[in-house]
Structures are given as C-alpha cells and as structure tokens.
C-alpha cells in the first residue's frame, strides 16, 4: 500500500489529528533524503506526514533514519520560535516511530523557488531575503552549547553530505583529492552553529510571508559556510539550466551572499566568506561527478564546462564568493587589485577601539637601535611590530628619525619612541581599531611633512604595522589570511642573496646584491632547499679560494672579488656545484644599487677602479645580462638618473625584470610616473620606505595598475619581525626579497613563509608566473 501503516494512524489518533474511527485521505508526495511524505486530509485537519523510510533494513540504518527525522523536528521547532514564518509548523511527533506531522503548505499559496527559477522568474529580492533569513537562523544557533549537544549529528552529516559530495568527488578527481579531502576535514571540524545541510531552491517555498525552509534532515552543529556555499552553488548551476536568466541569477547570487554576509555576527564575515568560497568549487564539481549529480545537466559539453571551471578554482582556491562568481563568469580572477589591499570594511567593528599605543627601543641585526610599537585594543587583542632600517636608502624615502649626538653613533631612537608616547598614542587612542586607512591617514596628518621627518618614518611604520597585527588578532585570523580577505593569497618566489656587496660588505665588490631566484622550484619549500645547496656551495668555493670574509649585512657571503663579473662567475659555479642548471633551476638577480655608485654625473666602480657614464653603465649591465643567466636587475641606474633608467628599460624591459627600489621608494606617485615614462617594469615594496601600511598598499595598487611585477622586501637592518611575509602572501605579491639564507632576522622570514605554506596546504599558487616566462622566452 501507499499510505502509512496502522501504527502511524494510531499515532495520529493519539495526538488528535485524526478522529477515532476515521480513515483519512492520504496522498503520497515526492520524498526527502530518506523519508516518505504524505498529505493527510482528515476531517478536522489537512497536514503533512513525514517518516523515515519504513523499508526492511538493518537496525543501524533504521536508527540513522529516525535520528534524521527527530533532527528535523528539532530544527523546525527551534526555527519556528525564531521566526514562525520561516518553517512549516510541527504539529506532533513520535521519535520512536520516526514520524512527525507538520503544517501543509498548499502549492496554490506556496511555490518552490526551484519551480519559479525554472520558469525564468528570478527575483533578486527573494535571494536577498533567503540570505537574510539564513544568517538570522545561523546566528540564533551560534555558539550555543545546547545547540551543539542537540545537533551533535556529525556522523549523519558525514554520511549524507561530506561522503557523497566531497569524498566521492575526490575519488573521481584523484589529483584534487588532497584539496577535496582537506575541505571535507575542515568542514567536519568547524563547529560554530547549526547548519541546515540542504539549503537549495528545491527546499525553499515562497509564500506571501517570505521563504519557508524545508527538509532539515541533515542539520548539524557545524559550519554555516556549508549552507551558504550549497545554496550559492545551486544559483550558479541554474545559469546553465536557464541561460536566459544568467544576469538575474548572478545578481541573485550577489544579493544572497551580500545580505547573508552583512548579518554574520558570530565570527568575522571574511572567515565564513572564505570557507564558502573554497567549498563552492568543490560542490560545483560534486554536482557533476559526485554521488548526487544535478538532473538538469545532461549534455557532456555543459558538464565539461562546469568541470573545467571548478577544477581550475580548486587548483587555485578562491578566497571570496565574489571571486568564485567572477571565475564562473569567465572573468579574470586576480589579486586584490585596486580596491585597496588593506581595506576590509566588513570587518570594521564600531565598538572595537584602540586602547593603548606603546613605543620602545629595541635592537636590529646591525646592533643599532630601532623602534618597536605595540597596540592593544579595547577587547584585549593586540599587535606588535618593529621598524627595519636601510643602509643604502633612497633620498625620497620616509626618514628614520635618529637622535644624533654621541651615543650609538648618533643612531639613537629616543625621539621617535617619545613621539609615539607623546603624540601618536593620544591621537590614535579611541579610533576604530580595524580601520587601517583612517589610522594611517591620522599618522600622515599628524606628522605633516612629506617624508615623515617630524615623527619619524620608523615610528609611523612600527605603529601602522602594529595596528594591522592587532586587527588581524581581533579578527581571529593569521595576518596573511586577514589581508587576503578579498583576494587570493600567493606564496612568493624568494629572491635570496648569496653574495653581499656594496654598502653592505665594506664595498669589496661594487654591486650590492648577487641573488638567486629558484625559478625551477615548484613550491616555496623546494625553493628554500635549492637555495640552501647553492649557498653552501658558494661558501665552499670561496673558502677553497681563501677569499671568504664571513657574512655581509644581509647574511650573504662577504666576498673578495676583483670584479662584478668574477662574482657572477662564481655564482654560476655555485649553482652548478649544487647540481642545478643555471637559468633553468636557479636564475640570477642583481641589485646594482647604483645610487651608491653615483659620483656627480658618473658612476664609480671603486673595487674595479673605473668610472662609467650613465650610458656606459647601461651597456655594462646589459653585457652582464647577456653573459649570465640574469633575469632581474634592481636600480641599474641611480635614483636621480631617470634618463638612464628609461634607456635601460627601453633596451631590456621585454626580457628583464627591471626593479625600482631607491628610484621608486615605495611611492604610488613615483610608480605611476615611472610606469608612464617606462623607467622600470617592477617595484620593490618596503613598508618603511612609505612609512605606513596603507601607503605601501597604495604603491602596490599603482604597480598592479601598471601591470608590473611586485616584490616585497626587507631592509639590510632587520629584526625578528615577520610582517612583510604576511603582506607578501596576503596581498598576493609574487616575490619576496629578505636577504640571504643565514642570520636569524632573515631565517625568521623564510621560516614564517614555510609555516604559511603548510597552512595553505597546496591551495595557493606559488611565485610570479611572469618570471618563468621571462626566462623561457
Ligand atoms: P637597504 O638595502 O635596506 O640597505 O636599503 C636593500 C636594497 O637595496 O634592496
Ligand atoms: Zn635595492
């Protein structure tokens, strides 16, 4: 028979829904995941009846089914208390029988959202309403021990969702198994609120009082991002089903996500956005190749299209749902772009204020004083950062305020530290903690000079970076992830010094930096391993020759070379001695730091005993680049030699990365001008050259607007501070330069990048792809 068994009719009589002796009219409806559903028309009431499938089954299955049934009753009852219009009313239930009765919502008044979409009736307002309601439901269950206990249904969720969707797909797409499995694992272990587990247009009815949620059989105390991703996934797939409505569906996607994320109050909206964004491509692929494919995608070409897009995203995981939407539409997915890489307006919480700003004197890797700042917020979250210090500084960079006088060779920072206590702290106290732009603007205005000469760029950069750390701490995220919020994190290609020269090594060789770029490495860890071998080999070569004088300021070998060419020669030998192919596994980068060689209008190569004109220097550097596998040249001409820079870039810019360091001093305006005049094609970004995080971000945005390569860089005077590594990863900057392989202030950075690489678990791209093209061209 099609109707419910006698024991169920008994139950209905017991609870008064069916009169004694009455045989109600019963009509079967299409069922849920594992249930029968009937409409029961009794004399007094019309209602729905839902029960776990009464098939002959092993006891364990039956138990699982009845558990789902009571989970749904619990979810519907709890949501009804929050908003009675959002669910059908539960009329009665019998957990032992695995059955419950609920209000019947007739199709004449309640149409399913899916039916409506299929008809091509797409209402953006409906999507926004669903987003708002879902957020309200998630919020009401959040962080509640009672909910956690009541919806402790992880094993059912695993069986009904993680297994058939993510893990089954991992078995089909073996190469993506690590990422799919780690997404499943992350979802299983994220326990924040009760997720519905099956939020899809099919399970949402639209009545006169808004969306009504059905089918909460998979509800579980876990990750709300699953619901958001699950529902958004349907909207994307519907663009294939109803292509004529693509624009409206995409608008609905944005509206649903936007209204949901606006109301997230149990965790930073960026965090749930990030998790949903990573789950989305997995669910897209699962709806093609998992155990529960969508019925309306039948054509192989359409399926392949979805596969291709989903796979690409899983290989390079998106960080926001907006990014998924853009990738789905075939638009470029890129880094944070021009929206301002430090702006996270969604995270600015009005109540969270700067409570304390502390400055102190600490010491850098050259044994000189430098400035540390610490910021404590009203909720106790805090951040700390230390200003680094350059030796071959550009004359236009933010000025390090030094005390002068006898102590420490005039390099004391007492004045800068005092400025933090006396001027900066009172100005920042009470400001919204997470509004980095406002904080940095205040610092700039307070200083009032073009190069931060009054308060000191060392004071402002330490405070600015400390504020950023405090914000990330308040958001409960590692800094790199906090910064990545709206874009894609990238593991930078390291650029590592093997020989130090110029101002960093007693000018034993004129060129300042001889670096390797391990372009053949596939991972950051692999790049480090390659470099270790080259560094060791270079040391052995120098020791064999008897020309080793220890390490230079940035940890590279302090060499004794008679010429630049000899240094380049030795570097190539070191690469070979390490068993690597020069130019293929490891290429060379140099920093000429030519401002340091400038003598009037000429360039003095003191170690080589010759002086060159600007044009001769261009020729000389280009000659090195022809002779050796050099892919990147920094400051080939001096900061005041724009003509020379333009000449050099004009002649080599199509095959070399031409980096402006002293020439650009991390200034958005100088970068824009240099892009216009084609004086460089890449920029070294040093936060302390700019003086604040926001100005550094603006410089990055200007470089991106010009289509340039970007490199985040440390200074020759450094400390254990690792902020720049987080900036590089979080902002998706493709390269990182922090000196050599030796000395703790350098390894602090490299090792931090290794930890982040591990945390990203293969989900972020590595390096600057354009670098590899430079060399293979
Ligand atoms: P600096 O040198 O930190 O001494 O200015 C680094 C560089 O020129 O890249
Ligand atoms: Zn430089």
């Amino acid at each position: 028979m099609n109707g419910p068994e006698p024991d169920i009719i008994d139950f209905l009589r017991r609870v008064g829904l069916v009169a004694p002796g009455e045989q109600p009219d019963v009509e079967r409806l299409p069922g849920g995941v594992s249930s029968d559903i009937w409409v029961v028309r009794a004399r007094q009431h019309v209602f729905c009846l839902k029960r776990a499938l009464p098939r002959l089954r092993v006891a364990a299955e039956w138990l699982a089914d009845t558990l789902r049934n009571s989970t749904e009753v619990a979810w519907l009852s709890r949501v009804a208390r929050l908003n009675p219009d959002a669910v059908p009313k539960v009329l009665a239930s019998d957990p032992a029988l695995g059955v419950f009765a609920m209000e019947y919502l007739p199709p004449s008044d309640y149409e399913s959202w899916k039916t409506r979409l299929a008809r091509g009736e797409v209402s953006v307002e409906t999507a926004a309403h669903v987003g708002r309601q879902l957020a309200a439901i998630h919020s009401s269950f959040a962080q509640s021990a009672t909910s956690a206990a009541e919806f402790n249904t992880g094993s059912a969720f695993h069986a009904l969702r993680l297994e058939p969707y993510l893990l089954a797909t991992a078995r089909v797409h073996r190469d993506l198994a690590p990422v799919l499995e780690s997404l499943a694992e992350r979802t299983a272990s994220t326990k924040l609120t009760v997720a519905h587990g099956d939020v899809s247009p099919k399970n949402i009815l639209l009545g006169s009082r808004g969306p009504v949620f059905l089918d909460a059989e998979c509800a579980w105390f876990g990750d709300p991002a699953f619901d958001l991703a699950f529902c958004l996934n349907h909207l994307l797939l519907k663009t294939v089903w109803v292509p004529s409505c693509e624009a409206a569906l995409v608008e609905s996607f944005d509206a649903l996500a936007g209204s949901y994320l606006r109301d997230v109050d149990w965790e930073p909206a960026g965090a749930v956005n990030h998790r949903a964004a990573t789950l989305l491509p997995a669910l897209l692929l699962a709806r093609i190749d998992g155990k529960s494919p969508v019925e309306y995608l039948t054509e192989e070409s359409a399926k392949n299209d979805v596969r291709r897009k989903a796979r690409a995203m899983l290989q390079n995981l998106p960080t926001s749902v907006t990014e998924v939407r853009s990738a789905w539409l075939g638009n470029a997915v890129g880094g944070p772009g021009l929206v301002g890489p430090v702006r996270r307006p969604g995270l600015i919480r009005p109540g969270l204020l700067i409570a304390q700003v502390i400055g102190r004197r600490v010491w850098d890797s050259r044994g000189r004083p430098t400035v540390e700042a610490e910021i404590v917020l009203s909720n106790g979250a805090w951040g700390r950062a230390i200003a680094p210090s350059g030796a071959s500084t550009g004359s236009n960079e933010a000025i390090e305020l030094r005390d002068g006088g006898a102590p420490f060779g005039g390099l004391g920072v007492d004045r800068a530290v005092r400025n933090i206590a006396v001027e900066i702290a009172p100005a920042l106290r009470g400001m919204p903690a997470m509004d980095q732009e406002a904080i940095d603007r205040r610092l700039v205005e307070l200083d009032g000079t073009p190069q931060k000469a009054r308060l000191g760029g060392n004071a402002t950069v330490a405070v600015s970076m400390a504020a950023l750390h405090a914000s990330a701490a308040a958001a409960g995220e590692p800094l790199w992830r906090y910064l990545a919020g709206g874009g894609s994190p990238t593991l930078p290609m390291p650029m590592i010094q093997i020989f130090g020269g110029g101002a960093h090594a007693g000018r034993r060789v004129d060129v300042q930096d001889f670096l390797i770029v391990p372009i053949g490495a596939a991972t950051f860890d692999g790049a480090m391993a390659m470099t270790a071998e080259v560094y060791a080999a270079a040391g052995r070569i120098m020791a064999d020759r008897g020309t080793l004088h220890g390490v230079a300021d940035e940890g590279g070998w302090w060499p004794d070379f008679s010429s630049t060419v000899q240094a380049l020669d030795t570097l190539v030998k070191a690469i070979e001695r390490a068993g690597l192919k020069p130019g293929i596994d490891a290429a060379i980068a140099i920093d000429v730091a030519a401002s340091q060689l400038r003598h009037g209008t000429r360039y003095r190569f003191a170690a080589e005993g010759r002086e060159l004109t600007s044009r001769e220097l261009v020729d000389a550097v280009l000659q090195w680049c022809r002779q050796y596998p050099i892919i990147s040249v920094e400051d080939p001409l001096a900061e005041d030699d724009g003509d020379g820079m333009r000449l050099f870039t004009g002649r080599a810019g199509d095959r070399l990365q031409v980096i402006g360091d002293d020439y650009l001093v991390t200034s958005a305006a100088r970068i824009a001008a240099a892009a216009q005049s084609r004086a460089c094609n890449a920029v070294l970004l040093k936060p302390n050259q700019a003086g604040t995080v926001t100005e550094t971000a603006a410089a990055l945005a200007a470089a991106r607007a010009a289509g340039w390569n970007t490199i985040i860089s440390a200074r020759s005077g450094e400390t254990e501070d690792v902020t720049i590594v987080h900036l590089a990863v979080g902002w998706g900057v493709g390269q990182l330069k922090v000196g050599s392989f030796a000395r703790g202030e350098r390894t602090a950075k490299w090792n931090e990048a290794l930890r982040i690489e591990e945390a990203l678990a293969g989900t972020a791209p590595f390096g600057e792809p354009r670098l590899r093209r430079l060399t293979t061209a």
Side-chain angles (χ1 to χ4, degrees), residues 88 115 143 495 511 629 659 741 770:
T115 312
Q143 275 134 23
M495 189 182 263
V511 167
I659 307 174
F741 212 70
R770 282 184 287 201

Side-chain angles (χ1 to χ4, degrees), residues 53-285:
L53 287 177
R55 290 198 201 107
L56 284 177
R57 288 179 156 204
V58 289
E61 281 179 346
W62 169 248
L63 273 179
D65 284 352
T66 53
L67 173 70
R68 277 167 218 162
N69 192 274
S70 50
T71 300
E72 179 163 16
V73 171
W75 191 87
L76 292 172
S77 312
R78 285 282 303 273
V79 174
R81 289 206 286 278
L82 171 75
N83 176 1
D85 294 333
V87 282
K89 186 176 165 45
V90 174
L91 304 171
S93 72
D94 187 326
L97 283 175
V99 64
F100 73 94
M102 65 183 154
E103 182 188 5
Y104 171 61
L105 305 172
S108 50
D109 301 332
Y110 293 88
E111 190 174 27
S112 112
W113 191 15
K114 181 177 181 177
T115 312
R116 210 172 273 187
L117 292 175
R119 255 209 328 271
E121 230 180 274
V122 184
S123 149
V124 175
E125 176 40 38
T126 298
H129 203 156
V130 169
R132 271 197 307 280
Q133 274 200 359
L134 190 60
I137 292 169
H138 285 165
S139 173
S140 77
F141 286 110
Q143 275 134 23
S144 138
T146 329
S147 305
E150 197 174 4
F151 295 91
N152 179 19
T153 48
S155 57
F157 187 80
H158 179 93
L160 294 171
R161 285 293 172 265
L162 298 180
E163 213 309 303
Y165 286 77
L166 305 189
L167 300 178
T169 308
R171 289 192 292 275
V172 178
H173 296 264
R174 293 301 317 168
D175 59 323
L176 296 173
V179 57
L180 289 165
E181 282 161 9
S182 80
L183 286 171
E185 216 167 278
R186 185 197 69 197
T187 305
S189 62
T190 303
K191 297 195 185 305
L192 292 168
T193 186
V194 177
H196 174 284
D198 201 359
V199 180
S200 61
K202 170 172 71 76
N203 288 334
I204 293 172
L205 300 181
L206 302 173
S208 58
R209 283 192 300 242
V212 180
F213 292 78
L214 307 176
D215 278 344
E217 294 164 51
C218 306
W220 126 101
F221 193 83
D223 188 355
F226 186 87
D227 282 351
L228 178 61
F230 200 81
C231 193
L232 290 176
N233 181 43
H234 279 275
L235 292 179
L236 288 186
L237 288 170
K238 298 271 178 308
T239 62
V240 186
W241 193 32
V242 201
S244 59
C245 295
E246 182 181 88
L249 284 163
V250 166
E251 226 180 296
S252 297
F253 178 101
D254 286 350
L256 195 156
S259 63
Y260 177 90
L261 291 170
R262 233 184 335 272
D263 289 348
V264 168
D265 59 2
W266 58 89
E267 64 175 317
V272 70
N273 189 354
H274 178 264
R275 293 198 308 280
T278 47
L279 276 171
L280 249 166
L283 292 173
L284 279 168
L285 196 56

Side-chain angles (χ1 to χ4, degrees), residues 9 66 89 115 120 137 216 235 242 268 310 368 447 485 545 590 618 647 650 685 726 735-736 755:
I9 301 293
T66 53
K89 186 176 165 45
T115 312
I137 292 169
L235 292 179
V242 201
R368 298 172 182 169
D447 173 78
R545 286 189 198 153
I590 56 173
V618 170
L647 179 66
L685 298 165
H726 290 262
Q735 298 171 73
L736 179 64
R755 290 177 205 113

Side-chain angles (χ1 to χ4, degrees), residues 512 591 634-635 661 737:
Q512 180 176 289
D591 180 2
E634 182 176 330
D635 285 343
D661 171 15
K737 179 188 175 196

